[in-house]
Amino acid sequence: MDRTELAELLRQARSRVRPRDVGLPAGSRRQVPGLRREEVAQLAGVSVDYVVRLEQGRGPHPSTAVLAALARALRLNDEDRDLLFQFAGIAAPQAGRIDMVVRPSVLRLLDRLADLPALVMSAKGDVLAWNPMAAALLGDFSAWPPAQRNIIWQQFLGTGPRRVAISPAEAANVAAFSVGSLRSAKARYPADPDLLRLISELRTHSPRFEQLWNERPSEQRRSATKSIDHPEFGPLLLDCDSLFAPDTDQAVVVYSATPDTPAAAALELLRVTGTQQFTERPSRTSPSLRG
């Protein structure tokens, strides 16, 4: 493990990432460019002290899971991610594993979608990146521990409030689609340890997931109209479309509204207000995509 090079890579990477690049509010009184250590720790699901020690070249030997989380939090490209693993003395992710790094070209697309809520998901449902509008619409994804930053895990095992309002019939269809998507991912990545661990946890702790898994539902990709119960603006009827990047097996999920509708007007206001809360309604900042 080359602690000096690892520390330098982490410091430089942190200085290059702006809060808005990872869907966080910029805030005020920023004395240095880039993310604060507290923000990196929050995104990666580690302690601030852990990040400080790594950046000072005196940290412990990070695990593969921690390195992957840091790579996602710092939006490292493939080359920098491999260097991160190399400096930590761990082999870089191998072929045949689900790609958990969002490519710079996809991140640029996410940045360009400044007026629409958009997020990037992995082949097994991990929320890998999101823009400020997605956080404003659906809640702060960084509030989820990294191991739970997965919409299928949240759907079957999550306990947070729902922002996607769906009927019982729609819920059944969504659950079947989610299970079908994991079956499809398992067929493409049969040796991915994180995918196998996710499926095992869901089968063990969710009787509903286990039932659907045994029924072997198919995965049918389609666009959808979703009703989002926003804490400030109330119900918003939005179109939800997925744009797929075949080379990474990731999906860019985009929410939009029909022009000249109340939902379109609400999105315009949301772009200005962001995650600010103006009413006394109960806090519902943690996102739920169980729709």
Side-chain angles (χ1 to χ4, degrees):
M1 178 176 175
D2 190 332
R3 286 181 168 81
T4 301
E5 290 292 345
L6 179 64
E8 182 63 24
L9 189 154
L10 291 173
R11 289 194 300 267
Q12 289 186 3
R14 180 166 63 84
S15 70
R16 292 195 298 264
V17 182
R18 299 166 299 179
R20 67 180 185 182
D21 293 337
V22 290
L24 294 176
S28 58
R29 299 180 180 178
R30 265 182 201 276
Q31 300 177 349
V32 294
L35 296 178
R36 297 187 176 107
R37 289 182 176 123
E38 294 84 354
E39 291 165 334
V40 174
Q42 179 184 9
L43 290 168
V46 297
S47 69
V48 178
D49 180 65
Y50 190 93
V51 174
V52 170
R53 285 185 290 155
L54 284 178
E55 287 196 359
Q56 292 178 346
R58 57 184 183 86
H61 196 290
S63 67
T64 300
V66 167
L67 290 172
L70 287 170
R72 290 194 299 273
L74 296 169
R75 301 181 76 161
L76 300 183
N77 58 30
D78 292 350
E79 291 76 15
D80 285 340
R81 178 203 60 189
D82 290 349
L83 277 176
L84 179 72
F85 277 80
Q86 177 183 330
F87 292 148
I90 296 178
Q94 303 171 1
R97 304 287 178 89
I98 291 177
D99 196 341
M100 300 292 284
V101 175
V102 184
R103 295 191 174 179
S105 58
V106 176
L107 293 174
R108 287 194 296 271
L109 174 63
L110 203 66
D111 293 337
R112 296 289 293 181
L113 294 171
D115 295 334
L116 295 174
L119 55 147
V120 182
M121 294 197 307
S122 76
K124 60 185 176 71
D126 304 287
V127 181
L128 301 178
W130 58 92
N131 64 8
M133 281 288 285
L137 177 70
L138 299 167
D140 181 12
F141 292 100
S142 66
W144 283 346
Q148 300 175 12
R149 208 171 291 166
N150 179 287
I151 62 167
I152 301 177
W153 189 98
Q154 291 290 335
Q155 181 181 350
F156 288 96
L157 298 179
T159 58
R162 297 189 180 194
R163 284 198 180 181
V164 179
I166 57 176
S167 67
E170 290 172 326
N173 291 333
V174 170
F177 168 81
S178 297
V179 175
S181 68
L182 282 188
R183 273 201 168 279
S184 177
K186 186 174 183 293
R188 300 193 302 275
Y189 305 96
D192 186 278
D194 292 331
L195 172 61
L196 297 178
R197 188 160 40 246
L198 172 64
I199 293 172
S200 176
E201 182 179 4
L202 289 168
R203 295 188 67 181
T204 300
H205 299 291
S206 171
R208 177 58 175 156
F209 184 91
E210 173 68 5
Q211 175 189 352
L212 288 170
W213 185 264
N214 291 327
E215 291 176 1
R216 300 176 179 272
S218 61
E219 178 190 22
Q220 297 180 352
R221 301 186 186 275
R222 60 171 65 92
S223 299
T225 299
K226 294 189 177 182
S227 178
I228 308 297
D229 184 14
H230 192 271
E232 298 297 330
F233 300 104
L236 304 176
L237 193 62
L238 301 173
D239 292 322
C240 179
D241 295 279
S242 297
L243 314 175
F244 294 96
D247 55 338
T248 62
D249 212 3
Q250 295 171 356
V252 180
V253 180
V254 183
Y255 290 83
S256 63
T258 302
D260 302 320
T261 61
L267 285 184
E268 283 293 320
L269 287 172
L270 203 60
R271 184 174 61 84
V272 177
T273 61
T275 56
Q276 298 179 70
Q277 182 171 325
F278 300 100
T279 70
E280 295 300 322
R281 298 178 65 175
S283 174
R284 298 174 62 181
T285 55
S286 295
S288 178
L289 299 183
R290 287 181 284 178

